[in-house]
Amino acid sequence: MQEFSFDLPFPSQISQAVESAAAHHIIWIQEHGLLSKGSLREYYRWDVPGVAARFWPHSSGADLELGMDLAGWFLLVDDQFDGPLGIQPHRAAQIVQQLIDVVYSSPGSLPKESLTPAAGGLASIWSRQVRGMSASWQQRSARDWEDFLNAYTSETINRQIGIVPDVDTYLSLRHKAGLENVLIDLAERIGHYELTEAVLSMPAIQKMHNATVQVVNIIQDAFSVAKEEARGDCHNLVIVLQHHRNYSRQEALAETRSIVRRHTDEFLHVKSQLPALFDAAALPLSDRESAYVFVDDLQAQMRACHDWCRGSGRYSRVIRARPDQPTHLEEMHLEGLG
């Protein structure tokens, strides 16, 4: 467990169905060619089941399995962009487009034999993710997936030309690159509810959504800085702060704590105002109930990210490799098969 930590005003929670879902997940990643049996021992140290069980602590069965598969898919595919692929924008863009095509295709419409393991895994996730959800929700989630995936290409361009983005530019890119928008969408699917447009469009809800994305991303950066630094990767808030503000490592980490505290303070302040805001908007009871569930889900995700990052072997193990060397558990075939 890492010694560094954040003071978050949200309770730790975890699903009691984690073990049964984990058994499914290990089979799933192997069936989709995302990881071989030989790499499972190290993968177990990452505790992917634990992160899903914390992000969605009230889930179980197929719902928790979906969250777990998405978390594992992301971590394994994300690592493929460490190393040579991470400095090849043209190649990265082609791979990214294949994945974007999956979320803009009807579930089951793409021939399985034409899909790479990454695309096939995403197709499995997407087909379950959209099940029972409205067309407007599906469109929103597809856009968030597209933004997230395109950020890989943006990062490869920065690495190739040696740009260290300034703080505001970095945070704007990180807002899309961190998957958290997709995970927030998934909270509705796993919880079997949807926010209405009346709720989604409220500035208060937007502020809480944004605060959650920022908190999760910054916490991940603080815990993964050794991993990025060892590879010479600039895409980490701690590194950006050190570069542009001449902070020491400790000063940069202290600043991440301050930023997170500002966001959580704002989150709690806005949360306290919700009853009056809902009254003023004359929101129906059903809309209010969904909104309160959503707020609880946001809190769970912030705390989950922190608790998992502190204990996961993915971040406690410092990876030392040159930027042009891969750091993934094993190489995944990412090029088109069709």
Side-chain angles (χ1 to χ4, degrees):
M1 177 174 288
Q2 298 196 36
E3 294 181 2
F4 187 77
S5 64
F6 291 83
D7 180 17
L8 297 180
F10 312 117
S12 294
Q13 303 177 79
I14 188 167
S15 170
Q16 298 304 303
V18 61
E19 290 187 9
S20 58
H24 152 88
H25 175 66
I26 295 302
I27 294 172
W28 183 86
I29 59 172
Q30 293 178 89
E31 287 182 343
H32 284 83
L34 296 167
L35 198 68
S36 70
K37 187 175 182 180
S39 297
L40 287 180
R41 182 175 181 179
E42 178 61 26
Y43 187 70
Y44 285 134
R45 293 186 64 248
W46 291 10
D47 188 25
V48 174
V51 70
R54 288 176 173 84
F55 261 72
W56 302 286
H58 306 298
S59 64
S60 61
D63 294 327
L64 182 56
E65 290 170 2
L66 170 59
M68 210 170 281
D69 293 344
L70 174 53
W73 180 93
F74 163 64
L75 293 171
L76 291 169
V77 172
D78 183 72
D79 278 0
Q80 300 298 308
F81 288 85
D82 291 344
L85 178 59
I87 51 176
Q88 299 174 14
H90 181 69
R91 183 179 171 220
Q94 292 180 321
I95 292 168
V96 161
Q97 189 57 55
Q98 294 168 12
L99 298 175
I100 291 174
D101 289 344
V102 170
V103 298
Y104 281 107
S105 301
S106 300
S109 64
L110 297 175
K112 291 184 178 180
E113 62 273 11
S114 71
L115 300 177
T116 64
L122 181 55
S124 168
I125 290 165
W126 182 246
S127 67
R128 291 177 285 158
Q129 185 176 339
V130 301
R131 194 171 298 158
M133 305 305 285
S134 69
S136 61
W137 183 93
Q138 293 180 36
Q139 292 166 3
R140 166 161 52 98
S141 187
R143 288 194 301 269
D144 286 336
W145 268 108
E146 182 178 18
D147 286 344
F148 156 68
L149 291 166
N150 277 327
Y152 279 119
T153 305
S154 298
E155 290 182 343
T156 62
I157 293 172
N158 287 345
R159 294 190 195 101
Q160 185 188 55
I161 61 181
I163 288 179
V164 180
D166 60 39
V167 175
D168 290 340
T169 301
Y170 171 73
L171 288 175
S172 178
L173 174 61
R174 188 72 168 92
H175 198 282
K176 297 177 180 180
L179 189 71
E180 179 57 14
N181 288 296
V182 171
L183 298 180
I184 291 175
D185 293 335
L186 195 62
E188 294 173 76
R189 160 62 181 84
I190 287 180
H192 299 281
Y193 68 91
E194 282 191 38
L195 299 183
T196 63
E197 184 57 36
V199 173
L200 273 172
S201 62
M202 294 185 71
I205 296 298
Q206 289 297 310
K207 286 181 181 178
M208 299 176 85
H209 186 293
N210 178 68
T212 301
V213 173
Q214 296 288 356
V215 167
V216 168
N217 289 341
I218 293 169
I219 287 173
Q220 286 181 325
D221 278 5
F223 285 111
S224 66
V225 63
K227 180 175 180 284
E228 272 93 45
E229 184 178 50
R231 296 184 51 259
D233 191 350
C234 66
H235 295 99
N236 185 291
L237 180 58
V238 178
I239 294 171
V240 169
L241 287 168
Q242 289 185 252
H243 180 86
H244 285 288
R245 297 185 182 176
N246 296 316
Y247 284 173
S248 67
R249 173 56 53 81
Q250 290 306 311
E251 288 172 333
L253 287 171
E255 179 64 9
T256 66
R257 276 201 180 106
S258 296
I259 296 172
V260 165
R261 172 58 67 85
R262 290 197 292 271
H263 283 305
T264 56
D265 284 350
E266 178 187 42
F267 185 99
L268 292 176
H269 175 67
V270 174
K271 179 182 177 181
S272 71
Q273 297 178 320
L274 289 181
L277 293 173
F278 292 164
D279 286 345
L283 279 184
L285 180 60
S286 59
D287 285 2
R288 297 179 189 225
E289 291 174 341
S290 295
Y292 287 129
V293 171
F294 182 69
V295 169
D296 286 344
D297 284 337
L298 296 181
Q299 294 182 170
Q301 294 202 6
M302 286 185 275
R303 184 65 193 226
C305 177
H306 176 266
D307 291 353
W308 178 74
C309 284
R310 282 203 76 202
S312 172
R314 176 176 166 84
Y315 295 121
S316 62
R317 180 173 63 95
V318 177
I319 298 175
R320 300 197 173 278
R322 297 195 312 269
D324 62 342
Q325 291 181 324
T327 57
H328 45 61
L329 295 183
E330 61 187 41
E331 187 172 2
M332 186 187 301
H333 186 78
L334 296 171
E335 314 298 338
L337 299 178

